């Protein structure tokens, strides 16, 4: 019988979606991971290289199965209550390597992205801070059933945005990011600790199907 008890602290996967080890998004991801740990939750900090995959090829999937990188992300997602992606913006959209990895993991059944809560953040030297890329990233994640947190955080002028100890140079932005992370974790905690709440997805306003979840790609 379901209970409202959740064993241990929340566990959140965090990774920067850039291959460069010293990228601004790797630094922003590390900062978010520290903020998560400061709340008492467990941050599983990863790097994009941990989930390396070749270009998606249906023939390769049939003959060789899913690549190790996709299976690694599947396993890290399954062991987490939520995840955070710090993503750069490539040509006003999602980095190809991140989209490719999501496409590979979308082939996993049951779908590990389904019903996971996600927080999206970005860092960019541009004035938009990579925000346009985050809006594009929401599309495949929400299609797969991820509950993407409405508030996103984008750091503009990221090449000037960090102090030597890894905090944000702008104290106001540092506070706003901390508040966003804390609010996100409160939502995740409410969801995982109150499992008696029924989860339903309504395709259209007014839809009141009795099915546990409307049939969508995430199934």
């Amino acid at each position: 019988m379901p209970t409202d008890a959740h064993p241990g602290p929340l566990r959140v996967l965090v990774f920067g979606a850039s291959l460069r080890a010293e990228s601004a998004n790797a630094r922003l991801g590390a900062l978010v991971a520290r903020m998560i740990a400061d709340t008492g939750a467990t941050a599983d900090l990863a790097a994009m290289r941990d989930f390396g995959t070749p270009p998606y090829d249906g023939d390769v999937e049939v003959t060789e199965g899913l690549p190790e990188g996709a299976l690694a992300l599947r396993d890290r997602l399954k062991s987490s209550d939520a995840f955070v992606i710090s993503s750069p913006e490539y040509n006003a959209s999602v980095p190809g390597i991140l989209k490719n990895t999501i496409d590979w993991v979308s082939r996993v059944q049951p779908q590990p992205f389904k019903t996971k809560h996600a927080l999206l953040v970005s860092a960019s030297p541009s004035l938009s801070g990579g925000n346009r890329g985050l809006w594009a990233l929401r599309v495949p994640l929400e299609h797969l059933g991820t509950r993407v947190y409405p508030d996103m955080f984008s750091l503009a002028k990221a090449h000037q945005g960090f102090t030597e100890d890894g905090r944000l140079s702008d104290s106001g932005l540092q506070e706003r990011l901390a508040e966003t992370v804390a609010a996100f974790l409160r939502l995740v905690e409410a969801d995982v600790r109150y499992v008696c709440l029924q989860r339903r997805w309504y395709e259209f306003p007014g839809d009141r199907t009795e099915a546990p979840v409307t049939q969508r790609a995430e199934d």
Side-chain angles (χ1 to χ4, degrees), residues 10-164:
L10 295 177
R11 183 177 179 85
V12 183
L13 171 64
V14 183
F15 66 96
S18 175
L19 292 177
R20 289 194 306 115
E22 298 301 321
S23 74
N25 282 281
R27 298 182 71 182
L28 184 58
L31 175 58
V32 170
R34 291 199 299 272
M35 289 178 171
I36 290 171
D38 287 344
T39 70
T42 298
D44 177 15
L45 183 59
M48 193 69 229
R49 290 186 182 277
D50 296 338
F51 312 126
T53 54
Y56 178 75
D57 184 328
D59 291 337
V60 171
E61 180 186 2
V62 171
T63 58
E64 302 179 19
L66 299 179
E68 291 185 5
L71 295 177
L73 179 53
R74 175 204 63 184
D75 293 343
R76 302 279 277 270
L77 285 169
K78 288 177 64 176
S79 65
S80 299
D81 298 301
F83 64 95
V84 179
I85 300 178
S86 181
S87 177
E89 176 184 292
Y90 288 1
N91 298 314
S93 190
V94 185
I97 187 171
L98 176 59
K99 179 60 166 60
N100 184 66
T101 300
I102 292 173
D103 289 344
W104 270 112
V105 178
S106 74
R107 305 298 295 165
V108 175
Q109 296 296 330
Q111 179 48 241
F113 285 112
K114 181 179 177 180
T115 71
K116 293 288 185 183
H117 289 276
L119 173 64
L120 304 183
V121 300
S122 63
S124 170
S126 73
L127 294 178
S128 66
N131 186 259
R132 293 169 300 182
L134 296 186
W135 282 107
L137 179 55
R138 296 184 73 99
V139 175
L141 292 177
E142 290 181 336
H143 179 72
L144 293 171
T146 303
R147 298 174 173 185
V148 183
Y149 192 61
D151 194 11
M152 303 183 292
F153 179 88
S154 295
L155 177 65
K157 299 182 179 180
H159 57 296
Q160 304 170 344
F162 295 92
T163 62
E164 290 186 2

